[in-house]
Amino acid sequence: MTILAFTRAPIVCEAASRPGRRALVDWNVFLREAIGTDERAHGLSRLSGGLREVFSECTTDSRGAWTSMHPEELQEMLCKTFCTGFTVTPTASGFAVGSTFADDSGDRIGFFLSFDEDLASLEDDGSYLSHLVASDIAIDQGTRGQLLDSILDGCGAYWDRETYEIRTLPFLSDQVGQRCVRFLSGLIRVRDLELLTRNFVRSTFREDALIAVKELMGHAANIDQNVPVNDELHDFPADIVIRPNASLAQSSVGAVYLVSSNEKLNEALLLRLELMRLERNDLEVIALLENQNPKIISSRHYQRAQNRGVVMPIFRMDERESIELMRRSLRIPKKSSI
């Protein structure tokens, strides 16, 4: 229960789950923060009076503090809100449950409850993980794969690699209520994978690119990270260096820069200019752009690098083909050709 004493004395906020623990907030400081930096007494007085009027019909406790709601009223309100948001529809093997929660597209998050004698199990329809895969979001490897497995393990579930359904192992029927809550919590948390991908995809750019490079060129080249291509160019370390096998005489060494800023594109351009100065044609400079976002990579920087021969594939939303362009630029044969 939250108790607010609307006086010039400090406000006392006491959580019912932690009896005896109080957070004290100076009333005048609270008011000033509520209305900004205006500290005029008249304004503070009017706001204080307004709040008093709002709470004038509330009951008071033994300390004279104002209360707006009893715990039982809040509990009833929460129960009503949550319970009316769920739908349960019979199916051939159990029930289809629709929840009050929705994803970014507005679709309600739901699941299926199935029974087999004294055992029950839960699963979703597989559409969400299929959507992630269709969006080229790797869910079976790397950071996102680990996160997905961790989330599902926490709610006692796993995902089927063939159907992309999220499922639980069978459990006793008397655990249905508890397991449904845990399972729904997991389904909601799994939706964060897409949010993390949108907002923090830069943190997995290197990982995703390295996986793709190794998959398409690892059979015919050595892949190094954060090194220069040779001692002569020690001042120009690349994020990824691709060195074709000695048997591939027609192939070129690739210095790959993972570009998500103008500064990183400039690093690639500096190496390209140095190679032009040295009249070196045995090395290829590749600026792998995370995406074509003019807010991040200016058109001027992009034009300058392109006109000077920097290979610039765009990774996001077309990952495989961007690495294929790199492979063709380095004249590295496909795995099936060797």
Side-chain angles (χ1 to χ4, degrees):
M1 179 175 65
T2 301
I3 302 172
L4 299 180
F6 291 102
T7 66
R8 292 185 61 85
I11 299 173
V12 180
C13 299
E14 182 174 347
S17 59
R18 296 184 178 181
R21 296 193 62 182
R22 301 179 183 180
L24 298 180
V25 182
D26 184 85
W27 171 233
N28 289 326
V29 172
F30 173 79
L31 287 176
R32 285 196 297 271
E33 291 180 352
I35 64 173
T37 58
D38 187 356
E39 300 180 9
R40 291 175 298 176
H42 180 63
L44 290 174
S45 177
R46 288 203 312 172
L47 179 58
S48 176
L51 290 173
R52 285 178 183 276
E53 183 177 350
V54 169
F55 287 87
S56 62
E57 298 182 358
C58 296
T59 59
T60 60
D61 64 4
S62 58
R63 291 171 299 182
W66 299 91
T67 60
S68 60
M69 183 178 295
H70 291 291
E72 295 79 6
E73 294 175 312
L74 178 57
Q75 181 175 345
E76 182 181 352
M77 182 183 299
L78 291 174
C79 289
K80 181 179 180 181
T81 300
F82 278 99
C83 292
T84 55
F86 282 84
T87 59
V88 178
T89 306
T91 65
S93 59
F95 300 99
V97 181
S99 77
T100 186
F101 303 100
D103 56 24
D104 287 346
S105 65
D107 294 332
R108 296 175 67 185
I109 300 174
F111 55 88
F112 298 96
L113 171 63
S114 301
F115 292 95
D116 184 8
E117 296 182 352
D118 292 334
L119 297 178
S121 61
L122 298 164
E123 64 183 34
D124 75 344
D125 61 4
S127 62
Y128 185 70
L129 293 187
S130 298
H131 159 70
L132 294 184
V133 173
S135 301
D136 290 326
I137 297 175
I139 61 173
D140 59 347
Q141 57 189 339
T143 301
R144 284 177 292 238
Q146 295 174 8
L147 180 58
L148 174 59
D149 291 339
S150 176
I151 290 173
L152 297 183
D153 184 63
C155 66
Y158 67 96
W159 66 279
D160 190 306
R161 263 62 175 175
E162 295 183 359
T163 65
Y164 298 106
E165 294 172 335
I166 298 176
R167 298 174 173 172
T168 68
L169 293 173
F171 53 86
L172 295 177
S173 298
D174 59 4
Q175 301 175 6
V176 164
Q178 176 187 7
R179 295 299 294 268
C180 282
V181 172
R182 288 180 59 194
F183 189 70
L184 178 58
S185 173
L187 295 183
I188 294 172
R189 292 182 62 203
V190 163
R191 266 63 181 179
D192 288 341
L193 284 175
E194 192 168 11
L195 179 64
L196 289 172
T197 297
R198 287 200 306 268
N199 293 342
F200 306 108
V201 72
R202 223 172 284 172
S203 65
T204 62
F205 179 30
R206 172 183 290 272
E207 181 180 283
D208 294 345
L210 189 61
I211 290 174
V213 166
K214 288 182 177 180
E215 179 182 351
L216 292 181
M217 288 182 272
H219 65 282
N222 293 321
I223 313 297
D224 296 317
Q225 298 184 67
N226 302 319
V227 295
V229 292
N230 55 40
D231 292 339
E232 183 183 6
L233 299 169
H234 65 274
D235 290 330
F236 304 92
D239 294 309
I240 300 175
V241 174
I242 303 171
R243 294 188 173 89
N245 296 340
S247 59
L248 302 175
Q250 302 301 317
S251 300
S252 298
V253 175
V256 182
Y257 291 85
L258 304 177
V259 177
S260 56
S261 68
N262 286 320
E263 289 73 19
K264 181 62 72 170
L265 183 56
N266 280 338
E267 289 185 33
L269 179 58
L270 285 174
L271 176 57
R272 177 59 187 159
L273 293 174
E274 181 67 7
L275 293 177
M276 293 172 64
R277 186 185 70 82
L278 297 173
E279 298 183 353
R280 295 279 300 269
N281 297 316
D282 57 329
L283 300 174
E284 197 74 63
V285 179
I286 300 173
L288 181 60
L289 274 65
E290 183 179 10
N291 50 54
Q292 193 174 22
N293 187 342
K295 294 182 179 179
I296 298 176
I297 307 297
S298 73
S299 58
R300 179 59 178 154
H301 282 78
Y302 184 91
Q303 181 185 48
R304 187 183 296 120
Q306 187 178 55
N307 289 345
R308 286 156 180 78
V310 178
V311 179
M312 291 189 291
I314 300 171
F315 188 66
R316 293 298 178 197
M317 307 305 294
D318 200 16
E319 283 86 346
R320 186 177 183 86
E321 287 305 313
S322 68
I323 306 303
E324 280 287 359
L325 174 59
M326 291 167 51
R327 183 191 62 76
R328 293 192 298 269
S329 298
L330 300 178
R331 296 181 296 281
I332 294 177
K334 290 184 177 181
K335 186 181 299 185
S336 57
S337 303
I338 297 180

